[in-house]
Amino acid sequence: MLVGYARTSTIEQSLDLQMDALKAAGCERIYADQVSGAREAAPEFVRVLEILREGDALVVWRLDRLGRTLKQLIELIGNLEKRGVGLRSLQENIETGSPGGRLVFHIFAALAEFERNIIRERTVAGLEAARSRGRRGGRPRKLSSAQRALVATLYREKKHPVQEICRMFGISRPTLYSCL
């Protein structure tokens, strides 16, 4: 049985492209997650791994839908192979059922990890360059330093409830507490 798996990193991203490709590939079942591969557990992916049986094949649109590092991908392939489950990637045209397919998989996985590392390095370099020019990342502060001092004073005086202080300055409770 061909079992498809699709994943996007955020809810705002569409799964349509991946879902259409998996259906066209003949997947009998398709599971999907909309979570970051780097940070969160993907509940549908866990479910896919539970239902796969010997002779099945896991089909994905691209390898990067399965893991963020070469090590993760290789471990996953090893686990699937031990269980007699194949892997098929539509975009990279990889099928791990043959020695040639496994070789191509390792090459593409290494290139994908290399690409992610290059992107990470560029991001870090860009942030450092911005900091050297005096720019700071993150959201602008809601309150000026004078307003923050006033919030702290009002809070310590205990003459106004927290809700009222928040309303006066147009801030949330967490913002108020971070000012303190």
Side-chain angles (χ1 to χ4, degrees):
M1 173 170 61
L2 296 179
V3 179
Y5 177 70
R7 181 183 62 79
T8 60
S9 298
T10 65
I11 295 170
E12 292 83 29
Q13 294 173 326
S14 174
L15 287 164
D16 295 343
L17 174 70
Q18 294 178 57
M19 298 295 269
D20 292 345
L22 293 171
K23 286 175 189 167
C27 293
E28 296 175 39
R29 294 185 187 171
I30 299 175
Y31 297 83
D33 281 309
Q34 291 190 296
V35 297
S36 169
R39 293 192 180 96
E40 302 174 45
E44 290 299 303
F45 185 64
V46 171
R47 186 170 292 133
V48 167
L49 293 177
E50 289 172 357
I51 66 141
L52 287 169
R53 301 290 177 249
E54 187 173 345
D56 290 346
L58 174 60
V59 182
V60 293
W61 186 65
R62 281 181 49 153
L63 288 176
D64 65 355
R65 303 297 82 201
L66 292 177
R68 303 300 279 177
T69 66
L70 179 58
K71 182 181 176 193
Q72 284 177 330
L73 289 171
I74 290 172
E75 285 176 5
L76 174 64
I77 295 302
N79 290 337
L80 292 175
E81 283 179 348
K82 285 178 193 171
R83 296 172 49 196
V85 175
L87 173 71
R88 194 169 147 201
S89 173
L90 301 176
Q91 287 296 299
E92 291 93 356
N93 201 20
I94 296 172
E95 263 188 78
T96 61
S98 70
R102 283 190 292 279
L103 171 66
V104 171
F105 161 75
H106 286 287
I107 292 169
F108 275 101
L111 291 172
E113 183 175 11
F114 175 72
E115 180 183 16
R116 279 191 299 277
N117 288 336
I118 294 288
I119 291 168
R120 187 177 307 118
E121 285 175 7
R122 285 183 189 144
T123 302
V124 168
L127 290 171
E128 287 174 2
R131 280 189 212 106
S132 71
R133 289 189 301 277
R135 295 191 60 197
R136 292 179 48 196
R139 289 173 60 173
R141 291 196 179 265
K142 181 82 173 167
L143 303 174
S144 67
S145 54
Q147 289 173 316
R148 291 167 61 87
L150 183 56
V151 165
T153 303
L154 291 172
Y155 180 81
R156 279 191 224 102
E157 288 176 350
K158 297 186 190 259
K159 292 181 181 177
H160 302 280
V162 169
Q163 240 179 342
E164 186 179 331
I165 298 170
C166 290
R167 245 191 330 263
M168 289 185 332
F169 289 91
I171 58 175
S172 65
R173 274 179 188 260
T175 301
L176 180 137
Y177 291 120
S178 72
C179 288
L180 304 175

